[in-house]
Amino acid sequence: MQRFGTLSFGHYGPLGGGRVLTARDSMLQAIDLAQGMDDAGVDGVYFRVHHFARQQSSPMPLLAAIAARTKRIEMGTGVIDMRYENPLYLAEEAASVDLISGGRLALGVSRGSPESVVRGYEAFGYTGSEDPRGADIARGHFDTFLRAIEGEGMADRDPHSPFGGGTGRQQIEPHSPGLTSRIWWGAGNRESAEWAGRTGVNLMSSTLLTEATGVPFDELQAQQIDAFRQAWRDAGHPGEPRTSVSRSIFPITTAEDRMYFGGGQGGDQIGIIDGMRSTFGKTYAAEPDVLVEQLLDDAAIRSADTLMLTIPSQLGVEFNMRVVESFAAHVAPALGWKPATE
């Protein structure tokens, strides 16, 4: 493990006892947490993206705000649902954030996760899918997006334009050189991971896999990562791609930690999600020395270069900062991590 960061679902709404976490609270707390993590040398801060839900739905303004308040930390998504996106507008936004941050964007995209509404992307105007889950729309949008950020001309210039005119094809603006190398595909199965490897983008292995073969979750995920890397090599792409996995990991160092997470340790789970038999990874919650042994035994964590800790955003900046600092101080170094400040 070379890097670690946090993955936030960005939930907001009633907290119980008459307390409410508003959308504004959620975003401002995310900025404050990112700034604290940047100062502590943590490598990344990433956000789930869900539409028609009390979560982050339009992450680019949030990422731009974080970019302006931090110096080193990578910021990104895990993942943007490409079924909902205008690919050229997303390309403009992504390039803008990447330029503001100095090349620190890690944009995770995919077909998206199960929804709270029926075919919500159609309400956004993206219709005509021949796939019950809209995967063909997502892949089509992603292809256009990728060509746009690579600088391909996307529209014919107007020779009679009062703004300079010209002939040939015009690329989108702004353009951020190297942005393609900072794009990630969120894969939930081996086929999707291999496709990402052939395409030449990084891999975010999903928190749930739409496979259930009897193999433990971490080994199934490690096999997916291996298949991705082999597809990358077979396609002839240069260099080494990045890979990430996410886990719920809570070092128990105080009585409060034990109150919240003392009973959180569990095994893999099998269930039906979005009509597919799926495997979910377990939660790790234990004293730091126990966590180190458990995580060193996790095949996917050993294989990936980046680990994302899923955090309970409703518990606030101070609590989550303590979880992150505890992991950084007592667990991460034993897994091979060094602070970004070094």
Side-chain angles (χ1 to χ4, degrees), residues 3 8 46-47 63 70 160-161 210 283 285 287 294 296 310:
R3 304 173 180 88
S8 173
Y46 315 94
F47 298 92
L63 298 182
T70 57
H160 306 294
S161 170
T210 53
T283 293
E287 289 73 17
Q294 293 175 334
L296 286 173
T310 58

Side-chain angles (χ1 to χ4, degrees), residues 217-230:
F217 180 86
D218 64 308
E219 294 180 20
L220 197 62
Q221 203 169 36
Q223 292 173 8
Q224 183 191 87
I225 292 171
D226 289 343
F228 161 76
R229 287 178 173 144
Q230 186 60 54

Side-chain angles (χ1 to χ4, degrees), residues 290-332:
V290 176
L291 278 183
V292 168
E293 292 184 12
Q294 293 175 334
L295 299 179
L296 286 173
D297 197 44
D298 186 305
I301 291 177
R302 291 199 310 269
S303 181
D305 60 75
T306 301
L307 173 62
M308 300 178 183
L309 308 182
T310 58
I311 56 171
S313 52
Q314 304 96 315
L315 295 182
V317 175
E318 183 178 350
F319 183 89
N320 281 296
M321 194 66 219
R322 186 161 57 77
V323 170
V324 169
E325 289 176 334
S326 182
F327 183 82
H330 304 299
V331 180

Side-chain angles (χ1 to χ4, degrees), residues 37-117:
M37 289 166 53
D38 187 47
D39 294 339
V42 180
D43 301 279
V45 55
Y46 315 94
F47 298 92
R48 291 281 194 191
V49 180
H50 289 275
H51 299 282
F52 298 105
R54 288 176 174 173
Q55 298 179 47
Q56 303 300 340
S57 59
S58 53
M60 289 304 183
L62 176 60
L63 298 182
I66 290 173
R69 289 269 298 270
T70 57
K71 299 177 181 179
R72 290 173 296 269
I73 199 166
E74 181 176 78
M75 74 285 302
T77 53
V79 292
I80 288 176
D81 189 332
M82 290 302 295
R83 295 174 295 184
Y84 284 80
E85 295 296 325
N86 178 312
L88 297 188
Y89 187 64
L90 180 63
E92 292 174 341
E93 287 187 312
S96 297
V97 174
D98 199 51
L99 291 169
I100 291 170
S101 69
R104 291 186 283 134
L105 181 64
L107 196 70
V109 301
S110 190
R111 189 216 69 176
S113 61
E115 299 184 273
S116 59
V117 297

Side-chain angles (χ1 to χ4, degrees), residues 7-341:
L7 177 62
S8 173
F9 284 76
H11 293 296
Y12 57 89
L15 297 177
R19 297 175 302 145
V20 176
L21 182 72
T22 67
R24 181 176 185 271
D25 295 334
S26 176
M27 286 183 277
L28 292 179
Q29 289 182 14
I31 296 168
D32 290 342
L33 181 60
Q35 189 170 19
M37 289 166 53
D38 187 47
D39 294 339
V42 180
D43 301 279
V45 55
Y46 315 94
F47 298 92
R48 291 281 194 191
V49 180
H50 289 275
H51 299 282
F52 298 105
R54 288 176 174 173
Q55 298 179 47
Q56 303 300 340
S57 59
S58 53
M60 289 304 183
L62 176 60
L63 298 182
I66 290 173
R69 289 269 298 270
T70 57
K71 299 177 181 179
R72 290 173 296 269
I73 199 166
E74 181 176 78
M75 74 285 302
T77 53
V79 292
I80 288 176
D81 189 332
M82 290 302 295
R83 295 174 295 184
Y84 284 80
E85 295 296 325
N86 178 312
L88 297 188
Y89 187 64
L90 180 63
E92 292 174 341
E93 287 187 312
S96 297
V97 174
D98 199 51
L99 291 169
I100 291 170
S101 69
R104 291 186 283 134
L105 181 64
L107 196 70
V109 301
S110 190
R111 189 216 69 176
S113 61
E115 299 184 273
S116 59
V117 297
V118 179
R119 299 172 76 92
Y121 46 91
E122 293 185 347
F124 275 55
Y126 302 115
T127 59
S129 173
E130 298 180 1
D131 184 286
R133 300 179 185 88
D136 51 347
I137 290 179
R139 292 280 179 94
H141 285 185
F142 181 67
D143 176 69
T144 302
F145 167 76
L146 207 57
R147 290 188 288 115
I149 64 171
E150 287 172 346
E152 181 177 325
M154 305 305 295
D156 291 327
R157 294 189 180 95
D158 182 358
H160 306 294
S161 170
F163 304 106
T167 59
R169 302 279 285 176
Q170 176 64 43
Q171 69 179 30
I172 61 102
E173 294 289 351
H175 175 70
S176 183
L179 176 56
T180 305
S181 67
R182 295 182 283 280
I183 302 301
W184 302 63
W185 182 261
N189 55 49
R190 184 190 302 258
E191 179 185 0
S192 185
E194 290 175 338
W195 177 85
R198 291 192 299 271
T199 302
V201 292
N202 303 302
L203 176 70
M204 284 185 176
S205 187
S206 177
T207 50
L208 68 89
L209 302 179
T210 53
E211 301 177 71
T213 64
V215 175
F217 180 86
D218 64 308
E219 294 180 20
L220 197 62
Q221 203 169 36
Q223 292 173 8
Q224 183 191 87
I225 292 171
D226 289 343
F228 161 76
R229 287 178 173 144
Q230 186 60 54
W232 175 284
R233 290 190 293 267
D234 290 345
H237 298 300
E240 286 293 323
R242 287 181 60 188
T243 56
S244 73
V245 296
S246 58
R247 292 286 188 275
S248 295
I249 302 172
F250 301 102
I252 296 178
T253 61
T254 68
E256 186 181 27
D257 295 336
R258 189 168 300 282
M259 178 184 71
Y260 278 115
F261 308 114
Q265 196 81 261
D268 295 345
Q269 301 178 58
I270 305 295
I272 303 298
I273 293 291
D274 215 13
M276 292 177 283
R277 186 171 169 82
S278 304
T279 306
F280 306 79
K282 61 186 178 184
T283 293
Y284 292 97
E287 289 73 17
D289 57 336
V290 176
L291 278 183
V292 168
E293 292 184 12
Q294 293 175 334
L295 299 179
L296 286 173
D297 197 44
D298 186 305
I301 291 177
R302 291 199 310 269
S303 181
D305 60 75
T306 301
L307 173 62
M308 300 178 183
L309 308 182
T310 58
I311 56 171
S313 52
Q314 304 96 315
L315 295 182
V317 175
E318 183 178 350
F319 183 89
N320 281 296
M321 194 66 219
R322 186 161 57 77
V323 170
V324 169
E325 289 176 334
S326 182
F327 183 82
H330 304 299
V331 180
L335 305 180
W337 176 78
K338 294 182 180 179
T341 49

